Amino acid sequence: MSQEYTIAVLPGDGIGPEVTAEAVKVLRVVETRLGLKLNLNEKPVGGAGYEATGHPLPGETLEAAKEADAVLLGAVGGPQWETIDFSLRPERALLGLRSELNLFANLRPAKVFRALTEASTLKPEVVEGLDILVVRELTGGIYFGEPRGVVTLQGGERRGTNTLVYTESEIVRIAKVAFDVALKRNKKVCSVDKANVLEATGLWREVVTDLHKKEFSGVELSHMYVDNAAMQLVRNPKQFDVIVTTNMFGDILSDEASMLTGSIGMLPSASLGGKTAMYEPIHGSAPDIAGKDMANPLATILSVGMMFKYSLDREDVNTALENVVESILEAGYRTKDIMSKGMKEVGCKEMGDLVVQALEKKL
Ligand code: IPM
Ligand code: MG
């Protein structure tokens, strides 16, 4: 009997539906070639969820995600929803999914494909062969800490509050993920904090250090303040292997790391921790290019690769997809975001088709 999986597909907003459609084409190829049965359960999320039901994370979307073997998400957000109440913004859907599914560990690999060495704004020798992994804590920290909100003080002035909170157990579990993945890579972890100013991240540093001493002495551990880490990432990114950090620092540093690879349109991600994991490109909904067949679908397609690696126990599919992407780039095909002189510019759909054709030959 063929293996059967249910995948919740949440295209979302902006370029989300376009890049997700290309990733779904890829899923279908893998399904046929591997003799699987994939039940794709498509649901609205973000602005699309809000338009359909009045809430960015409709109940049936959350249910579909919880029941699935894995979730594939495109992107959420857009200017038309920027003025509605905070609790109904598209971004809340993403945060809701992360916390409801207990996805505390976000893996964001920044790998420079050989053919794209020249696409980075940094010198080729700085980024050539770069392969780093940002492990971002995803369900805690200032994104979720209480108290939060905006209140009006006596006299009418308003005050906004957000709170950076981490418990020891939250730090231990994310650090474990980082050390464990480092053992399968170059065995180096750099923990990024702001321990010189923020007590919560002073605790972070202490807990990471203790865990390392007790259980992971085979991994080389270093610590860095976030301001220095931001600088080191552009000065000499190859000094890093795995970076583990808080929710907000990870948000910022992973965008920075993506530019080392040439474009934010290249970076996939996996959010792990609970029973069902979620896979999404790290880029946003890019409303300015939505509907123009200009988006780069490779980050979403590579997220499908991560899904096979982490949720469906087929790391070979991930490897095949990475090789396919490399070969397409070697052949000179580029979406606009990674376009350079002498290359062949293709749209979102054509890039998806190229992956499909090459993958059919490979699997
Ligand atoms: C990301 C995004 C999200 C985040 C936004 C859209 C809520 O920037 O996944 O990196 O801040 O986590
Ligand atoms: Mg971000």
Side-chain angles (χ1 to χ4, degrees), residues 98 108 136 143 248 250-252 254-255 264 282-284:
R98 289 170 181 173
R108 299 189 157 187
R136 170 186 177 194
Y143 272 52
M248 187 160 77
D251 178 44
I252 298 165
S254 60
D255 266 28
I264 198 166
I282 84 154
H283 62 69

Side-chain angles (χ1 to χ4, degrees), residues 136-152:
R136 170 186 177 194
E137 199 290 327
L138 204 61
T139 52
I142 199 165
Y143 272 52
F144 291 91
E146 299 281 348
R148 65 185 300 152
V150 179
V151 294
T152 305

Side-chain angles (χ1 to χ4, degrees), residues 67-95:
E67 281 163 14
D69 293 296
V71 180
L72 178 68
L73 187 136
V76 298
Q80 63 271 56
W81 303 293
E82 266 164 23
T83 50
I84 61 176
D85 188 76
F86 217 81
S87 63
L88 295 174
R89 301 254 179 100
E91 291 77 8
R92 301 312 300 174
L94 210 46
L95 302 174

Side-chain angles (χ1 to χ4, degrees), residues 10 33 184 327 336 346:
L10 318 180
R33 293 283 151 165
K184 293 185 200 142
S327 67
K336 200 174 185 74
V346 296

